[in-house]
Amino acid sequence: MFRHALPATALIIALTSALAGCGDDDGTLSQAREYAREPGNHIAEQARSAMHDIDTVHVEGEVLDPKGTKILIDLDVSAKDTCVGTVGIGDGEISLRSIGGSAWYQGDEAFWKSIAPAKGEGERIAKRVGEKWVALDGELASLRAFCSIDSLTAQMVPPEAEAQAIGPAMADGSPTVRLDVTHGETESRTYVLASEPHRILKWTQGSSGELRFSDFDKEFHVEEPPADEVFDLAELEEK
């Protein structure tokens, strides 16, 4: 039992202050209300432009792939389609690096078991590969879409989609405008920062996923793994 509950009036004042008293850097809910009067497609266009202009961003969240597998994203991404971080796939996880049009990953044992479910096969692969990097190709190549800011933006607010401004909303502590985006039979919500530049802070698609964006233009470093630390999966076929 709470013995020191705030009086109802004090609670309302506290909540109002928390929502309306946001810092000038991120704008205010009043600014978001005003911005929400703009046509949704216009806000979407400004969001695409603002995201295109950034150099780097941190992307975190989860999505479901077409097979219903949960994909957990925790990546630093640059405008040059470079990225570094981790991707959880089902019960496993990979470390991912992408640079200069090439990408590599390191998988843990749970990851290898998930892609080689035959008894003992995943453990055998994990032991052979060890902590070496593997070139990202085949079905996993689709993960490169998460290493491109423009690709991510195009998925959230496609140029040909219809966007409707619903109203102001808080996203990760900042005042935003919620856009309901319809692209064919796909519906999603994109939260656009109320103040300029109008970057995307969050994207959701029902129970199918949520991505959050932060650390805009924060520099990060990624290097290509040395050749002697890269494993060729073709060696697994060798006796």
Side-chain angles (χ1 to χ4, degrees):
M1 176 181 295
F2 294 101
R3 297 183 178 181
H4 302 286
L6 284 172
T9 302
L11 181 59
I12 291 172
I13 293 174
L15 288 173
T16 302
S17 298
L19 291 174
C22 299
D24 293 338
D25 290 344
D26 290 337
T28 64
L29 277 177
S30 177
Q31 184 177 2
R33 292 189 189 95
E34 185 67 25
Y35 189 40
R37 296 175 183 174
E38 298 281 343
N41 287 340
H42 176 65
I43 295 175
E45 176 57 34
Q46 290 189 320
R48 283 190 292 270
S49 178
M51 295 298 285
H52 179 74
D53 289 343
I54 64 177
D55 292 325
T56 65
V57 66
H58 184 74
V59 185
E60 187 174 5
E62 63 182 57
V63 296
L64 297 180
D65 72 5
K67 297 179 181 179
T69 301
K70 182 182 292 186
I71 309 295
L72 298 176
I73 305 298
D74 189 357
L75 294 170
D76 290 318
V77 183
S78 84
K80 298 180 180 180
D81 296 350
T82 295
C83 74
V84 62
T86 61
V87 179
I89 304 176
D91 295 329
E93 182 179 88
I94 64 172
S95 296
L96 180 62
R97 293 184 188 181
S98 177
I99 185 173
S102 299
W104 306 264
Y105 67 92
Q106 286 176 325
D108 61 13
E109 185 171 308
F111 165 76
W112 293 116
K113 286 180 178 180
S114 69
I115 65 171
K119 185 176 181 179
E121 186 66 8
E123 292 93 330
R124 182 182 75 86
I125 295 175
K127 186 175 181 180
R128 285 287 305 278
V129 177
E131 296 184 356
K132 288 191 174 182
W133 295 86
V134 177
L136 188 74
D137 55 19
E139 291 185 5
L140 289 177
S142 61
L143 292 177
R144 292 190 186 185
F146 293 106
C147 293
S148 167
I149 297 174
D150 285 343
S151 177
L152 285 167
T153 303
Q155 294 298 316
M156 295 181 291
V157 280
E160 63 274 18
E162 286 296 322
Q164 181 180 3
I166 300 302
M170 296 298 291
D172 293 333
S174 297
T176 67
V177 171
R178 182 186 124 193
L179 293 181
D180 281 8
V181 180
T182 303
H183 185 218
E185 297 182 356
T186 302
E187 297 180 352
S188 61
R189 293 177 179 177
T190 298
Y191 295 81
V192 180
L193 190 63
S195 60
E196 295 184 3
H198 300 296
R199 297 162 173 166
I200 295 172
L201 293 191
K202 188 170 74 170
W203 167 91
T204 65
Q205 191 176 67
S207 60
S208 297
E210 174 179 306
L211 295 176
R212 298 173 300 279
F213 300 82
S214 61
D215 293 341
F216 296 97
D217 293 329
K218 183 176 180 179
E219 186 176 353
F220 67 88
H221 184 66
V222 56
E223 293 183 350
E224 179 176 340
D228 61 355
E229 294 183 14
V230 177
F231 184 87
D232 185 352
L233 290 181
E235 295 181 23
L236 294 175
E237 304 299 324
E238 299 177 0
K239 301 296 184 181

